[in-house]
Amino acid sequence: MNSVLAASSTNLDFSLAQQLTVIALCALTAFISHMALAVFNDGVRPFMLDFIQGRSTRNATTAVSFGLSAGFIFGLGAPMALSTGVLNPWLVFLPTDILGILSPKKWIAPLLGGAWGAVVVFGLNGANSLAHDLPVDFLTALQQMSTPILFLFTLFPVLAITKQFGRLRGGIAAVVELALVVMTMKVWPDVFPGSIAMAVGVLTLIGFAINKDLTQRKLERAEAAKAVAAGESLPAEKAEKDGGKNGAADDADDPMASLFSASALRLRRYLPLFMLLGAGVCVLAQAHVFGGGEATSFLIAKGDYSEAAQVDFYRAFGFVPLIATTALASGAYGIAGFTFVYPIGYLMPNPFLAAVVGAAVFAIEVLALSAIGRVLGKLPSVRDSSEHLRSAIGDALGLAILFGSLMAANVMGGGLGILIVGGLYLLNESMGRPVVRMAAAPAAVIVGGVLLNILYWLDLFTPIKG
């Protein structure tokens, strides 16, 4: 597997069908965002309840969405798309979150979303060609991020296991993953080395979590049995003796359960719209011009679609509890659902089947939302595993993106490039991170590349050859 993409793989010249798919999907997602039915940004979703219930204005919610999304759009989404030639959700869906909420009228929202889709499909290729013609080609340099992202991302299950279950199990998992990576490179050189290791790591984490929950429930049942044998009343029995009002634990008496039920019902009322959304996202993934994550974008660019599907499938487990609980609490779902439509789309043989399957997946997700929430309520360790997975993904990718950006800086300008890019990153840290950490390093590469080109035109810098 090549560590760096070929320059030709970053071509952003889309076919007519792909252009229409992106534009139509951006129009649809902006409309759905305007209706407060779904947003892509997980940080924005908790604010949607106040907006839905009229306690927050459209302008205030737009400001929240823009503040939480701008850094990812310009610092991560755009650089990743330009360096890989593959679109990503930060570039496609975060802007339509903002535009949809901003729109004062329903009919304006899809127009704004479609306009953004047109900017993406028609504008990026021009920017890409212009950047590649510069003396310092910072977009090609950004491809240096591929190797650290792909390989360090492999470690996220190990980090999650260590955080949740301690050093011993984490150390054992690390040794097992390293052995699997080495074995895969030796035995199956054409397979992404981290695919098997990630599968084993994620399954191990989930296995540990389920075992802990089942063990805890056995202990609780044993303690309850002892209490009954000793003649003590269980909490439910005491409630019955005290009047019985709470003995049945009716959902109507539980404000949170009532809110969850109302949110699930609200989303089910718009099931056809969600099915259309699922179909659109799945078709975009099937076109192989879209990747659901950082590592996935590079794998799609290399044509490793099955490996990309594995990566996004494992990644989804870290977000199912978050998306389910925030959707039930806020009444707003995720634009990509539980993100399982990404890996399914990569593997579909044609767009027609992708549309059917994507619609079916979203229908199942929306209809099962309440049941998923109840199951997660009974598996606290699995919910904790999801939190640890997301944190581990952030840690692994944060280091990989920073390291890859410094490699790109070295390719662009040697020590001077490292000084500029690393200095901008450190300055961002010292200023309280006006640009989110994940996006700060790629954004620094873009700014550093522009500065190096200016220095070249001023005859103060000679680009590094080779």
Side-chain angles (χ1 to χ4, degrees):
M1 215 172 76
N2 296 328
S3 60
V4 181
L5 302 177
S8 60
S9 68
T10 63
N11 183 25
L12 284 158
D13 188 14
F14 303 105
S15 68
L16 178 60
Q18 293 166 346
Q19 292 170 349
L20 294 176
T21 299
V22 173
I23 293 171
L25 185 57
C26 285
L28 176 62
T29 53
F31 177 75
I32 288 175
S33 173
H34 174 86
M35 297 284 288
L37 291 172
V39 290
F40 179 78
N41 193 321
D42 295 320
V44 174
R45 201 172 301 115
F47 293 92
M48 298 303 290
L49 180 63
D50 286 342
F51 177 61
I52 291 169
Q53 296 183 347
R55 295 192 298 268
S56 178
T57 65
R58 188 170 292 278
N59 288 339
T61 309
T62 300
V64 170
S65 182
F66 182 82
L68 293 175
S69 303
F72 287 103
I73 296 169
F74 301 109
L76 185 62
M80 287 292 295
L82 290 169
S83 63
T84 62
V86 175
L87 301 178
N88 56 70
W90 305 285
L91 184 65
V92 176
F93 298 142
L94 287 182
T96 59
D97 279 0
I98 300 168
L99 294 171
I101 299 172
L102 173 67
S103 175
K105 301 290 184 181
K106 284 184 182 180
W107 63 271
I108 296 177
L111 294 180
L112 293 176
W116 174 254
V119 169
V120 169
V121 296
F122 296 117
L124 280 181
N125 199 39
N128 186 58
S129 299
L130 176 63
H132 283 308
D133 291 336
L134 293 173
V136 179
D137 185 356
F138 50 84
L139 293 185
T140 298
L142 270 171
Q143 295 170 11
Q144 294 289 326
M145 291 195 301
S146 64
T147 299
I149 285 177
L150 289 173
F151 280 86
L152 288 177
F153 185 77
T154 303
L155 289 174
F156 80 86
V158 172
L159 303 182
I161 291 171
T162 305
K163 290 181 178 183
Q164 187 172 7
F165 297 104
R167 299 175 184 174
L168 178 60
R169 292 185 181 183
I172 293 172
V175 172
V176 170
E177 280 213 4
L178 177 60
L180 289 172
V181 168
V182 173
M183 182 190 73
T184 304
M185 295 176 73
K186 184 69 175 177
V187 179
W188 302 291
D190 295 329
V191 175
F192 170 49
S195 58
I196 297 176
M198 279 190 290
V200 172
V202 171
L203 290 175
T204 300
L205 175 66
I206 294 173
F208 284 156
I210 292 175
N211 180 67
K212 182 178 178 180
D213 284 333
L214 293 178
T215 301
Q216 183 62 33
R217 292 180 69 178
K218 286 180 181 178
L219 289 174
E220 291 173 354
R221 284 197 295 267
E223 290 176 359
K226 288 180 182 178
V228 171
E232 298 178 6
S233 295
L234 295 177
E237 293 170 344
K238 290 181 180 178
E240 278 186 31
K241 291 176 182 177
D242 291 338
K245 280 190 179 181
N246 297 324
D250 190 6
D251 281 355
D253 298 327
D254 184 347
M256 188 57 69
S258 179
L259 173 63
F260 279 18
S261 178
S263 296
L265 181 61
R266 176 177 187 264
L267 295 176
R268 285 198 293 269
R269 282 203 300 266
Y270 293 94
L271 186 61
L273 194 58
F274 281 114
M275 293 175 68
L276 182 61
L277 175 62
V281 175
C282 202
V283 168
L284 183 61
Q286 191 278 333
H288 299 149
V289 295
F290 175 90
E294 300 88 342
T296 314
S297 293
F298 286 106
L299 289 169
I300 292 291
K302 294 178 180 183
D304 297 332
Y305 306 132
S306 60
E307 285 85 353
Q310 291 179 61
V311 169
D312 271 353
F313 181 75
Y314 307 142
R315 183 185 182 129
F317 285 104
F319 291 88
V320 168
L322 172 69
I323 295 170
T325 53
T326 54
L328 289 170
S330 67
Y333 197 41
I335 285 294
F338 292 142
T339 72
F340 287 116
V341 286
Y342 293 161
I344 291 171
Y346 304 149
L347 301 177
M348 288 291 103
N350 61 70
F352 304 105
L353 183 59
V356 173
V357 175
V361 169
F362 256 53
I364 292 170
E365 290 181 1
V366 172
L367 292 174
L369 204 53
S370 294
I372 292 171
R374 288 194 296 270
V375 170
L376 291 173
K378 298 176 182 178
L379 298 172
S381 295
V382 173
R383 294 200 312 272
D384 290 344
S385 294
S386 172
E387 297 288 339
H388 290 299
L389 275 175
R390 290 199 309 278
S391 174
I393 288 172
D395 291 343
L397 287 175
L399 176 61
I401 290 173
L402 175 59
F403 185 63
S405 296
L406 291 175
M407 290 171 62
N410 184 58
V411 169
M412 289 193 307
L416 179 60
I418 292 174
L419 173 64
I420 294 174
V421 173
L424 288 171
Y425 180 86
L426 293 174
L427 183 62
N428 183 70
E429 290 285 305
S430 65
M431 293 173 64
R433 298 181 197 142
V435 179
V436 292
R437 177 177 283 174
M438 189 78 75
V445 174
I446 300 292
V447 175
V450 172
L451 290 175
L452 289 174
N453 278 293
I454 292 174
L455 291 175
Y456 167 79
W457 289 321
L458 294 174
D459 202 21
L460 296 174
F461 171 72
T462 301
I464 295 176
K465 302 296 182 182

